[in-house]
Amino acid sequence: QVQLAESGGGLVQAGGSLRLSCIASGSIIFSVKDMGWYRQAPGKQREMVAVAVTRDRSTIYAEAVKGRFTISRDNAKTAVYLQMDSLKPEDTAIYYCNLHLWQVGGQTETHWGKGTLVTVSS
């Protein structure tokens, strides 16, 4: 029942910026463990880009994007955003929103968005 709606992808030139948005909907009856963004380029494995942890408000960034991307949360709406600045061609990928929910007993459940395409031209 939980759905993640992503938006904000597009085509930009190197050095440009984009802001990705992800808003969760549906029946969310468990607490949010974290929300984040992952990306996958053609022929490559999906990799973590940035994660925002609810419990301590910590953030985790991939080294490749550190200093250029900023993740933020809106807990009231169960939403997560990714501000991407100084984009590089190697940032080109499909970006997926991710949600981890705490379940009873300390288990987690994972949800993924459909993905939004980011293309950065050189």
Side-chain angles (χ1 to χ4, degrees), residues 5-95:
E6 301 135 318
S7 63
L11 173 64
V12 298
Q13 293 182 322
S17 298
L18 285 174
R19 185 172 188 260
L20 305 184
S21 298
C22 174
I23 301 176
S25 62
S27 299
I28 303 176
I29 62 176
F30 301 108
S31 298
V32 177
K33 178 184 179 183
D34 58 63
M35 297 190 75
W37 292 92
Y38 294 70
R39 68 185 182 186
Q40 186 169 25
K44 299 180 65 177
Q45 295 182 332
R46 185 175 299 186
E47 63 178 351
M48 184 273 292
V49 177
V51 173
V53 181
T54 301
R55 182 165 294 177
D56 59 3
R57 298 184 179 183
S58 63
T59 56
I60 305 169
Y61 293 94
E63 287 297 323
V65 307
K66 191 174 183 179
R68 299 187 298 117
F69 292 7
T70 304
I71 189 170
S72 60
R73 293 267 301 277
D74 184 344
N75 295 332
K77 298 196 300 183
T78 314
V80 64
Y81 308 91
L82 186 68
Q83 178 66 43
M84 305 185 294
D85 298 320
S86 302
L87 284 162
K88 303 175 180 179
E90 49 263 46
D91 294 319
T92 296
I94 299 175
Y95 285 70

Side-chain angles (χ1 to χ4, degrees), residues 87-108:
L87 284 162
K88 303 175 180 179
E90 49 263 46
D91 294 319
T92 296
I94 299 175
Y95 285 70
Y96 297 91
C97 180
N98 173 266
L99 167 67
H100 287 135
L101 299 176
W102 287 113
Q103 292 183 320
V104 175
Q107 299 179 340
T108 60

